[in-house]
Amino acid sequence: GDSVTQMEGPVTLSEEAFLTINCTYTATGYPSLFWYVQYPGEGLQLLLKATKADDKGSNKGFEATYRKETTSFHLEKGSVQVSDSAVYFCALMEYGNKLVFGAGTILRVKS
Amino acid sequence: DARVTQTPRHKVTEMGQEVTMRCQPILGHNTVFWYRQTMMQGLELLAYFRNRAPLDDSGMPKDRFSAEMPDATLATLKIQPSEPRDSAVYFCASGLGQPNEKLFFGSGTQLSVL
């Protein structure tokens, strides 16, 4: 079945550092790919998405490119802030609009 | 802002008791999902409704869990009897049912079964 694998955390960075969170997927077809973010005590919010190969999703300084050849959708940000501290989930959606999530990666940004 | 509302936010109960969690999807949304989040298993899909009809509940333990949508403004998830291993955060999410769309999540119900 479909699955998503994310790098394990926690990832701890200093403010203004470069961020990469790796995500790879397994799917039978051509899924849409998403990054969701969860702040403490809250539900998940969509951060960005890409619906086809080579698409780049971007939002709030975060970017991810849909790489079909490597089945990857790595999340990047050039300069993180303390307010970016959260849990980040990579997810795919194939048939039936069901989201399949990765395990989540905790990001901690220190000032 | 339109949002998905879940109640209660927190629930502490004893093993064997019935637990009912409620979700009010965003008005006009026709898909509703129930997810369970634990440290060990991450986010697991329990059940999925479209236009109030259950489409997939394969992730839900059938012997003790049940999910329903009595009407378009209310989704319920019941556990009877509850067990300590059911302790988790339960999230409801809703959407418009469009391909590749985003889902809107509620703030979750944190359940502790003692």
Side-chain angles (χ1 to χ4, degrees):
Chain A
D2 296 349
S3 66
V4 176
T5 303
Q6 289 181 234
M7 65 187 287
E8 287 193 21
V11 174
T12 303
L13 297 173
S14 297
E15 212 165 17
E16 298 185 5
F18 184 85
L19 168 72
T20 300
I21 301 178
N22 290 337
C23 170
T24 57
Y25 67 91
T26 302
T28 51
Y30 301 97
S32 295
L33 302 173
F34 302 78
W35 278 100
Y36 277 77
V37 58
Q38 184 180 28
Y39 298 103
E42 298 183 12
L44 282 72
Q45 305 171 27
L46 178 68
L47 182 60
L48 54 85
K49 73 175 186 180
T51 57
K52 61 183 188 299
D54 300 326
D55 265 3
K56 178 187 282 189
S58 60
N59 186 25
K60 299 181 182 179
F62 291 89
E63 292 182 340
T65 301
Y66 190 142
R67 299 285 186 205
K68 183 166 170 285
E69 63 276 12
T70 54
T71 62
S72 64
F73 193 55
H74 304 320
L75 182 68
E76 297 182 336
K77 187 175 186 184
S79 175
V80 293
Q81 305 300 313
V82 172
S83 56
D84 294 327
S85 298
V87 184
Y88 291 82
F89 292 90
C90 186
L92 67 80
M93 180 183 286
E94 200 162 26
Y95 307 113
N97 286 47
K98 294 188 297 183
L99 272 175
V100 175
F101 287 94
T105 302
I106 297 172
L107 171 65
R108 298 187 180 127
V109 181
K110 302 184 297 184
S111 58
Chain B
D1 284 343
R3 59 180 63 191
V4 175
T5 303
Q6 287 186 249
T7 56
R9 286 297 308 272
H10 303 275
K11 175 72 176 179
V12 180
T13 191
E14 292 189 347
M15 183 173 64
Q17 297 297 306
E18 178 178 300
V19 175
T20 299
M21 291 169 271
R22 293 177 174 80
C23 168
Q24 183 177 353
I26 291 173
L27 191 64
H29 282 189
N30 67 343
T31 59
V32 173
F33 299 78
W34 283 103
Y35 284 89
R36 175 170 63 184
Q37 184 178 36
T38 60
M39 289 292 292
M40 294 300 295
Q41 301 296 329
L43 276 160
E44 303 171 276
L45 178 65
L46 297 176
Y48 162 38
F49 292 79
R50 182 187 290 269
N51 296 324
R52 297 177 53 202
L55 289 192
D56 185 349
D57 60 2
S58 58
M60 200 165 65
K62 303 288 192 307
D63 56 337
R64 298 184 299 108
F65 284 60
S66 62
E68 296 178 346
M69 281 200 72
D71 60 62
T73 64
L74 177 65
T76 61
L77 180 67
K78 287 187 182 179
I79 309 174
Q80 169 62 22
S82 58
E83 297 181 3
R85 60 181 167 148
D86 301 329
S87 298
V89 181
Y90 291 81
F91 287 104
C92 174
S94 72
L96 284 166
Q98 304 290 337
N100 310 319
E101 62 155 349
K102 74 176 183 180
L103 296 185
F104 294 79
F105 281 76
S107 298
T109 293
Q110 181 154 5
L111 174 65
S112 296
V113 183
L114 306 177

